Amino acid sequence: MSSIRIRLFVILLLATGVVWLSAFLWIQQSTLTEVERVLDARLAESGQMVSSLISDRRVDVAAVAKQVPNLTVAQDDASVGYSHKLSCQIWSLDGELVGRSGSAPTNSLAGVAPGFSSNIVDGEEWRVHTVINEALGVRVMVGDSQRVRDRLVQDVTMGLVLPALTILPVLAGLIWLAVWRGLRPLDRLAEGLSQRSADDLRAVEVGPLPREIRPVGRAINGLFGRVDAAREREKAFTSFAAHELKTPLAGIKTQAQVAMMATDDATRTSALANIQHGVDRTDRMVRQLLALASVDGTEVRQDVTLDAVAIIRDVVDDLARVARGKGITVTAPGNQKIPLNSDPVLLTVALRNVVENAIAVAPDGSDVDITAETSDERLKISVLDRGPGIADEDRAKIADRFFRGAGSNANGSGLGLAIVEAAVHRLGGEVAFAPRPGGGEIVSMIF
């Protein structure tokens, strides 16, 4: 069942039914036990009474037996359906029937042993109490028909079941009403959310909600807040990306016009070189935008065991041509193997951007060093450059998208370190920035 209301209703109804059935069985059993105890006590008292009357010799034995039918429970119209008459037999100890009541069978109700017994006489079950009077040499047997006893217990239990079955539909209705009213706040919450527009991310009012539903309201408000923040980031990202792409494209267009109108080869060659530079810058920015989109949308897999040093060396090989263009020497770790459970795509994106950024800011002819150290089950990959470093006032926002610090490359897009931080955070790591002794910056990725 998909409905919470129906599930709760069925569970409560079944639980109530189980409790009710258990109570009925308990009452039936306890009633049976109590009726048996009371009727057995009556049998014992009747047997002792008959024996006492005989012992006093105030009445004849046969007369006593004939008077036993008068030992009845007072009856009214409601009790006519079952009679509680006792049956009595008086036997001599040598097995001769001395006397019996009119309702008693001719065959012996019980054996020769004194006390209670249950016996089948003429196809009917009897509950009998036997008293032996040694002085007179007689055995007194007083018995109840078991059928009458069972009828009494049945009437008592049915008197409980019939009202219960009558009340059960009313109880089911009350349970349904309670469940419906109890879940009504969820309906109001759903109705309020369904009537909102896609742009309405205002917080849901948690106060009026019941205490048990308030966590749902808070969770929805948290989701709205995250969605709103993501939308704002996307808006800012789109705006910044459009602005950053507009600048090099405008420059390319201007240089193309200069090349077309140039009257000498030197001017045309300079304009074409500027066009190539603008295309390279635009290409790098587009690649970084794609990388950032990939980082945001890639499903993280950290169940793959990688060789971190091998990934570093692959990245260095990919950027070797760019480094040679500036005469920069990139030093990678040795041939040791460092296993790391990580996502190969995100790890490569993070490493490539931090190394590419280091090469971009490093002076021509300088060096970029890459180290990998392990300690306490933590891997620290550091990239050290000899660039201008990061100003103290820029460190808090250096990884913001499209942010370019005071000492950054004018041709940069402000996306490199943002991509690095996003990828490393998705891998469960962290990025640290520190000045390099002697000038430059140290960017560390810790996993």
Side-chain angles (χ1 to χ4, degrees):
M1 297 180 186
S2 58
S3 171
I4 296 179
R5 276 196 176 87
I6 295 178
R7 275 204 299 267
L8 283 176
F9 174 72
V10 171
I11 291 172
L12 291 174
L13 196 61
L14 288 177
T16 303
V18 169
V19 172
W20 215 315
L21 179 61
S22 301
F24 167 72
L25 294 176
W26 178 78
I27 291 174
Q28 183 186 39
Q29 187 61 37
S30 61
T31 301
L32 177 61
T33 302
E34 188 65 19
V35 167
E36 291 287 345
R37 186 184 67 81
V38 171
L39 295 182
D40 282 351
R42 187 190 62 166
L43 284 180
E45 291 174 357
S46 299
Q48 292 294 337
M49 180 186 67
V50 173
S51 178
S52 297
L53 291 174
I54 297 174
S55 297
D56 292 344
R57 300 183 181 273
R58 287 179 294 181
V59 294
D60 182 65
V61 171
V64 171
K66 292 179 180 179
Q67 291 300 318
V68 171
N70 295 327
L71 300 174
T72 62
V73 176
Q75 300 183 42
D76 54 21
D77 293 340
S79 62
V80 173
Y82 51 88
S83 173
H84 287 173
K85 291 181 179 180
L86 298 176
S87 295
C88 179
Q89 292 178 340
I90 301 176
W91 296 79
S92 64
L93 294 181
D94 57 5
E96 181 183 354
L97 180 62
V98 177
R100 68 182 180 89
S101 63
S103 62
T106 57
N107 295 324
S108 178
L109 288 172
V112 297
F116 289 99
S117 62
S118 296
N119 307 286
I120 303 295
V121 181
D122 297 336
E124 185 176 0
E125 185 177 1
W126 290 82
R127 178 68 171 170
V128 183
H129 183 263
T130 303
V131 178
I132 298 178
N133 192 322
E134 297 285 353
L136 297 179
V138 296
R139 183 179 293 110
V140 178
M141 300 179 184
V142 181
D144 257 340
S145 171
Q146 190 63 46
R147 176 175 51 83
V148 174
R149 290 188 172 204
D150 293 341
R151 176 68 182 278
L152 177 61
V153 174
Q154 180 182 356
D155 288 347
V156 171
T157 53
M158 288 302 296
L160 297 173
V161 171
L162 292 178
L165 293 177
T166 304
I167 295 174
L168 189 59
V170 178
L171 182 61
L174 292 176
I175 291 175
W176 175 256
L177 180 62
V179 171
W180 184 83
R181 289 183 61 85
L183 295 179
R184 182 56 185 161
L186 279 178
D187 291 337
R188 290 197 297 267
L189 180 62
E191 291 170 1
L193 292 176
S194 63
Q195 294 173 0
R196 289 192 176 198
S197 64
D199 296 328
D200 187 359
L201 296 177
R202 291 179 292 109
V204 176
E205 294 185 11
V206 178
L209 296 176
R211 183 176 57 186
E212 292 78 7
I213 306 179
R214 288 177 189 173
V216 177
R218 286 193 289 267
I220 293 175
N221 289 338
L223 176 62
F224 282 172
R226 293 191 297 272
V227 171
D228 190 39
R231 288 180 58 182
E232 291 301 321
R233 286 197 302 270
E234 293 301 324
K235 289 179 181 178
F237 177 80
T238 303
S239 176
F240 283 130
H243 179 268
E244 293 297 326
L245 286 173
K246 179 180 179 181
T247 300
L249 289 176
I252 291 171
K253 180 179 180 180
T254 300
Q255 294 300 323
Q257 293 173 346
V258 171
M260 291 178 61
M261 294 185 297
T263 56
D264 58 282
D265 292 339
T267 303
R268 185 178 298 106
T269 301
S270 176
L272 292 175
N274 289 331
I275 291 175
Q276 183 177 1
H277 177 74
V279 170
D280 290 340
R281 179 185 175 188
T282 305
D283 176 68
R284 182 169 184 267
M285 180 177 295
V286 170
R287 283 190 292 105
Q288 287 185 321
L289 290 173
L290 293 175
L292 189 58
S294 174
V295 168
D296 288 339
T298 300
E299 181 180 355
V300 180
R301 293 185 55 201
Q302 290 186 292
D303 57 346
V304 181
T305 302
L306 309 172
D307 181 2
V309 175
I311 297 291
I312 294 173
R313 299 184 73 84
D314 289 342
V315 170
V316 171
D317 292 341
D318 289 342
L319 296 175
R321 184 183 63 82
V322 179
R324 285 196 301 269
K326 296 185 63 176
I328 293 175
T329 301
V330 180
T331 304
N335 294 323
Q336 77 269 28
K337 292 185 178 181
I338 301 179
L340 175 65
N341 291 330
S342 184
D343 186 295
V345 175
L346 291 181
L347 182 60
T348 300
V349 168
L351 282 170
R352 181 183 178 88
N353 275 273
V354 72
V355 174
E356 189 175 21
N357 189 73
I359 294 173
V361 300
D364 293 352
S366 62
D367 58 88
V368 172
D369 299 324
I370 306 174
T371 62
E373 304 171 345
T374 57
S375 176
D376 297 331
E377 297 186 355
R378 291 165 66 89
L379 170 62
K380 182 178 181 180
I381 301 175
S382 300
V383 179
L384 301 83
D385 63 60
R386 290 295 181 183
I390 301 174
D392 292 339
E393 62 271 15
D394 294 337
R395 289 188 178 277
K397 49 187 176 179
I398 191 62
D400 291 350
R401 299 180 181 186
F402 299 105
F403 177 78
R404 290 195 290 267
S408 62
N409 192 326
N411 294 323
S413 63
L415 288 175
L417 293 179
I419 295 172
V420 172
E421 187 170 66
V424 172
H425 282 177
R426 293 208 65 190
L427 292 174
E430 57 181 299
V431 182
F433 302 94
R436 182 180 184 181
E441 191 71 21
I442 303 174
V443 181
S444 299
M445 293 171 288
I446 305 169
F447 303 98

